Amino acid sequence: GQTSTDQGSQTAPSASAVSPLLLQLDHVSLTGGQFYFEDYAVTPSQTIYWQDIRVDLSGGGYPLARPTAFTLHAYNMDGAPIEVTGATKKQGKQLVTEVQGTIDRMTISRFNVYLAPQLGYSVRQGSVSVKWKLMMPGDLLRADASVTLHDFGLGRKEGASGLEEQVGLPMNLIVALLKDLNGDINLELPVEGQLDEPGFQLGGTVWRAIRDVLIGAVTSPLKLLGALFRKGNSLEDFVLTPIGFEPGTARPDAAGIEQLTRLNLFLSQRP
């Protein structure tokens, strides 16, 4: 005879019946961490090492259900402190991230492998302090950074200087014009870009911002003394305004007094 078996129908669970992935972190702390990175894309290879890392994360989760905040404290291999704080939250359907941080007196010469191709010179001495604030609503990046170069000095020439060509002045003169009475160079760098825009590169955007700020910072004191002539994005020529005197006397006229006042201001700001 024949045997009939009724196995019944079994329905696979639908995708909608599968519970979505949910992850919620109340608080996470990492102390005593280390970060080591070796960049073999440059010659010689560049080592980046952070130590004594402390990270605190609160409110993290997937999907993001509430604001997430984090703090990071670390020291680089020279002992320069690094502090970063940030938060991510939802505004409507858009994800908004804010990050701010500081780096205090980090040695610059360690990064010559990256700087020399841009500057055309190696950096002989100096340190850098940076304070920045970054906001990312969606794919839009907006950042402002205050950069101070302490005791900055150039070393030997390494090759062509794209920055010299773009600004239109020798690098040593640029450095001399930028230094204040304390020997520091202070720059305010605004950076903005659309992350999802084709061809967007953060490094290129930052270097363009540096170029624009340098041109403005260099031309500002020179404008006190005379007329500037520009060609494209670089300085083409500079003409010193002569100091006028009253005819037949050694007394400056009104325009000459004004020029001497500007010269005094220039020398007091850029000794």
Side-chain angles (χ1 to χ4, degrees):
Q2 296 181 347
T3 303
S4 175
T5 303
D6 185 6
Q7 298 180 341
S9 61
Q10 296 182 355
T11 304
S14 64
S16 60
V18 177
S19 299
L21 174 64
L22 296 175
L23 176 64
Q24 189 64 49
L25 301 175
D26 183 57
H27 188 85
V28 177
S29 293
L30 168 68
T31 58
Q34 295 181 340
F35 172 79
Y36 181 88
F37 174 75
E38 190 84 15
D39 187 359
Y40 291 102
V42 294
T43 304
S45 61
Q46 176 70 27
T47 300
I48 297 175
Y49 175 65
W50 289 5
Q51 56 191 334
D52 196 19
I53 299 175
R54 185 172 78 251
V55 178
D56 290 290
L57 173 68
S58 61
Y62 178 85
L64 187 66
R66 57 177 177 168
T68 300
F70 75 90
T71 61
L72 180 149
H73 304 269
Y75 296 89
N76 81 335
M77 61 185 72
D78 297 320
I82 302 164
E83 297 189 6
V84 182
T85 61
T88 299
K89 59 184 178 181
K90 277 286 191 69
Q91 288 187 351
K93 294 183 178 181
Q94 191 175 59
L95 191 65
V96 178
T97 302
E98 295 184 36
V99 181
Q100 55 189 3
T102 60
I103 299 174
D104 188 33
R105 293 185 178 270
M106 182 169 61
T107 302
I108 303 175
S109 58
R110 285 190 175 276
F111 302 96
N112 269 329
V113 68
Y114 302 112
L115 296 173
Q118 298 293 333
L119 299 178
Y121 297 81
S122 61
V123 175
R124 174 174 48 87
Q125 64 183 33
S127 60
V128 59
S129 297
V130 184
K131 182 178 182 180
W132 77 89
K133 185 173 183 180
L134 177 150
M135 177 175 285
M136 291 177 54
D139 292 319
L140 178 62
L141 169 68
R142 294 195 189 100
D144 292 288
S146 299
V147 180
T148 300
L149 304 178
H150 310 279
D151 195 27
F152 182 80
L154 294 174
R156 66 181 182 273
K157 189 167 180 60
E158 299 286 347
S161 173
L163 203 53
E164 278 184 336
E165 295 173 0
Q166 291 174 335
V167 176
L169 293 173
M171 277 301 303
N172 285 311
L173 178 56
I174 293 174
V175 171
L177 287 170
L178 291 177
K179 285 189 175 182
D180 62 15
L181 290 173
N182 298 317
D184 292 339
I185 297 175
N186 299 289
L187 302 173
E188 298 292 329
L189 299 178
V191 177
E192 184 170 330
Q194 193 73 31
L195 298 179
D196 59 353
E197 183 177 306
F200 174 81
Q201 292 183 338
L202 181 59
T205 302
V206 171
W207 275 110
R208 282 193 296 273
I210 292 175
R211 181 204 66 191
D212 294 343
V213 167
L214 285 177
I215 291 177
V218 169
T219 59
S220 179
L222 290 179
K223 285 178 181 177
L224 292 173
L225 303 181
L228 294 173
F229 299 93
R230 302 181 63 173
K231 182 178 180 180
N233 291 323
S234 64
L235 303 182
E236 183 72 10
D237 198 5
F238 167 71
V239 177
L240 182 66
T241 301
I243 298 174
F245 290 84
E246 294 179 2
T249 72
R251 294 190 301 271
D253 57 19
I257 292 174
E258 183 179 351
Q259 176 68 356
L260 286 171
T261 302
R262 290 198 296 265
L263 178 61
N264 179 63
L265 177 61
F266 173 82
L267 293 176
S268 66
Q269 293 177 340
R270 302 291 188 272

